[in-house]
Amino acid sequence: MQKILNFIDGEFKAGTGGEFANKFPTTGEIFAEVSAAGKSDVDAAVGAARSALKGPWGRMSVPERVSLLRKLADGINARFDEFLAAEIRDTGKPRSIASHIDIPRGAANFNVFADQILTASTETFEMKTPDGGDALNYALRGPRGVIAVVCPWNLPLLLMTWKVAPALACGNTVVVKPSEETPATATLLGEVMNEVGIPRGVYNVVHGFGPSAAGEFLTSHPDVDGITFTGETGTGEAIMKAAANGVRPVSLELGGKNAGIIFDDADIGATLEGIGRSCFANTGQVCLGTERLYVQRDIYDQVCEGLAQKARSYRMGDPFDQATTMGTVISAEHRDKVISYYDKARASGAQILAGGGVPDIKGYEGGYWVEPTVWTGLDEDHPVVTEEIFGPCTHIRAFDTEEEGIALANNSPYGLATTIWSTNLGTAHRVSKQIEVGITWVNCWFLRDLRTPFGGSKASGIGREGGVHSLEFYSELRNVCIKL
Ligand code: NAD
Ligand code: 6OD
């Protein structure tokens, strides 16, 4: 049985928090034992990160750090197949997704933030002093210090390096707490850190659960200087409370209940392809995914039929098989949660256009399968329409006017992402401006330029990461005022 260990101060170490099983979601079989970090291990990881700040890492120039970041990207690519296999085993996601999104982006994040820090500037202001003399202000960019990085399971390497790369670019050290469901790629990255010569203590990984475990030990640790978190809104609230002790800054990328809006002048073929991906990709386990779909009445029937067909078109099975297009969800617990919404929809009389249950996948009966599902007919205040399900499902409703479409989309406590489909540029601009979310895609979905601000409005988060916005969070600016 494979053992997954914590990575502390450059070494793989068993934790004092016991062990927990890591399962292959496609079969439900245990394939690894993960060693959980106890409080003393988290103390050691934070201590190592603190010492590294004062060591060679803290003395490195930006170009030296940049050179190491590029080596990290190369190091992931050099072991691409190992990262790929580890991610597939942990998540059950198909190779077709992990090889195109998770692992390439896991590597690219390091190059993107290497570029970003090389061109990062700070402000200078000249001023007059009260006695008519001159003074000069300039800001120095330095690291915040030790950053806690707490991650979810849906895009494990991608979302972890999305935070670790800019944190290291800015000269911080990190302690990562991967999701208990997906510990493998964060651990493997520890090997790459050592291979490319990242000084010990710069990157640490502690494994375990959240409440009263590694997650909470880390986020409530008094020697952590900042916390960056991606996960559920409720967890974000708990982390924000922990961060209040000691007034530590937080960056929170949280949940969503994203709307898609399709206007009757949309290119139907392209729309069905794009919206289908936004509903079902990664078995619906993408925070940016569309779980509410509003369609202008003239094309409503066509979209319902087209999306139902799309839902039925997925091929489920062995995620290592290139032909598989949909995997399981992450765990039995998550399958039960998704299915509980499927049951609620049925009980409330939803019209089920596709799916709605658990498929029978021959040879993989122990896996956590759910059917891609499309409903209509539920009220806007039904839990299926208001709560984040995080499964391959969406509810469709017709609208008549632009104002109505906008109002329906905005009727949510969340504000992460929207996707708008129209061939009218005026419609696209007007609607984008009125939608209360952090990220709007028009005639596309999850098309990423990593320099752009990324994050959620309302209950979907605090702060923006990406490009210079990441640098803002992961660095501390200190103004110097010199009277000349
Ligand atoms: P989660 O909130 O359950 O867990 C995320 C991480 O937090 C895990 O590592 C977990 O162990 C840890 N954790 C849990 N409780 C904690 C606590 N009290 N203190 C410290 N750490 C704690 O989320 P998940 O189920 O892993 O991921 C799915 C969620 O993530 C969805 O809501 C999804 O929308 C969201 N998400 C958001 C984004 C975004 O960019 N906005 C991206 C991906 C996922
Ligand atoms: O692309 C990214 O940088 C990003 N943070 C994606 C988040 C996806 C959510 O599931």
Side-chain angles (χ1 to χ4, degrees), residues 300-330:
Y300 175 76
D301 289 340
Q302 208 181 343
V303 170
C304 286
E305 176 50 29
L307 199 63
Q309 261 182 34
K310 177 92 185 153
R312 290 185 216 108
S313 72
Y314 283 91
R315 182 169 164 166
M316 299 184 176
D318 177 6
F320 287 96
D321 181 344
Q322 191 66 40
T324 296
T325 53
M326 185 174 284
T328 59
V329 295
I330 191 73

Side-chain angles (χ1 to χ4, degrees), residues 91-422:
T91 60
K93 68 174 72 194
R95 174 189 288 272
S96 51
I97 292 183
S99 65
H100 274 93
I101 300 178
D102 298 71
I103 312 305
R105 261 294 301 280
N109 285 337
F110 285 104
N111 279 328
V112 164
F113 289 105
D115 292 342
Q116 205 70 56
I117 196 70
L118 271 182
T119 54
S121 59
T122 57
E123 296 164 313
T124 62
F125 293 103
E126 289 180 297
M127 65 180 284
K128 284 288 177 197
T129 61
D131 61 3
D134 293 302
L136 173 68
N137 291 273
Y138 61 90
L140 292 172
R141 183 184 294 283
R144 277 197 190 275
V146 176
I147 304 288
V149 180
V150 183
C151 305
W153 44 257
N154 61 326
L155 297 161
L157 183 71
L158 185 161
L159 289 174
M160 191 258 294
T161 55
W162 172 243
K163 292 168 178 302
V164 167
L168 298 193
C170 292
N172 300 281
T173 58
V174 297
V175 181
V176 175
K177 212 298 278 170
S179 168
E180 54 276 23
E181 305 286 357
T182 53
T185 47
T187 312
L188 196 49
L189 188 61
E191 290 183 22
V192 178
M193 293 275 166
N194 283 348
E195 279 162 15
V196 306
I198 296 285
R200 55 195 296 164
V202 170
Y203 172 84
N204 305 274
V205 181
V206 291
H207 291 300
F209 293 80
S212 308
E216 191 178 321
F217 301 151
L218 178 60
T219 51
S220 59
H221 200 291
D223 208 24
V224 160
D225 300 302
I227 304 170
T228 179
F229 169 74
T230 301
E232 283 181 13
T233 295
T235 313
E237 287 172 346
I239 286 180
M240 220 172 147
K241 284 180 191 145
N245 263 340
V247 198
R248 278 98 41 83
V250 286
S251 175
L252 302 177
E253 297 188 339
L254 307 178
K257 185 72 182 178
N258 310 303
I261 312 176
I262 307 181
F263 289 93
D264 57 13
D265 58 6
D267 170 339
I268 288 287
T271 301
L272 285 172
E273 183 53 36
I275 210 78
R277 245 176 16 92
S278 81
C279 297
F280 307 126
N282 209 35
T283 322
Q285 301 166 120
V286 182
C287 60
L288 311 158
T290 304
E291 291 192 355
R292 300 182 290 143
L293 188 53
Y294 301 107
V295 182
Q296 214 158 13
R297 199 166 304 275
D298 280 356
I299 56 165
Y300 175 76
D301 289 340
Q302 208 181 343
V303 170
C304 286
E305 176 50 29
L307 199 63
Q309 261 182 34
K310 177 92 185 153
R312 290 185 216 108
S313 72
Y314 283 91
R315 182 169 164 166
M316 299 184 176
D318 177 6
F320 287 96
D321 181 344
Q322 191 66 40
T324 296
T325 53
M326 185 174 284
T328 59
V329 295
I330 191 73
S331 62
E333 189 191 0
H334 191 52
R335 177 205 46 211
D336 295 348
K337 175 184 161 181
V338 173
I339 292 299
S340 77
Y341 283 98
Y342 286 19
D343 292 344
K344 278 182 209 165
R346 185 175 294 104
S348 302
Q351 205 187 332
I352 303 168
L353 303 184
V358 174
D360 181 17
I361 309 296
K362 293 273 173 285
Y364 298 97
E365 286 77 8
Y368 313 131
W369 306 100
V370 297
E371 283 178 337
T373 294
V374 181
W375 306 281
T376 63
L378 293 172
D379 291 338
E380 283 298 291
D381 61 358
H382 191 281
V384 162
V385 185
T386 58
E387 295 171 14
E388 183 185 53
I389 301 172
F390 222 53
C393 52
T394 201
H395 178 265
I396 315 185
R397 175 191 168 124
F399 71 90
D400 292 298
T401 64
E402 186 176 305
E403 294 68 34
E404 188 190 358
I406 293 169
L408 285 163
N410 281 342
N411 183 23
S412 171
Y414 292 107
L416 188 56
T418 299
T419 170
I420 298 168
W421 299 80
S422 168

Side-chain angles (χ1 to χ4, degrees), residues 462-483:
I462 293 184
R464 295 291 179 267
E465 298 198 34
V468 293
H469 310 283
S470 294
L471 303 190
E472 290 311 311
F473 179 72
Y474 295 105
S475 50
E476 185 86 33
L477 293 178
R478 287 172 291 134
N479 190 66
V480 179
C481 177
I482 304 184
K483 188 167 184 296

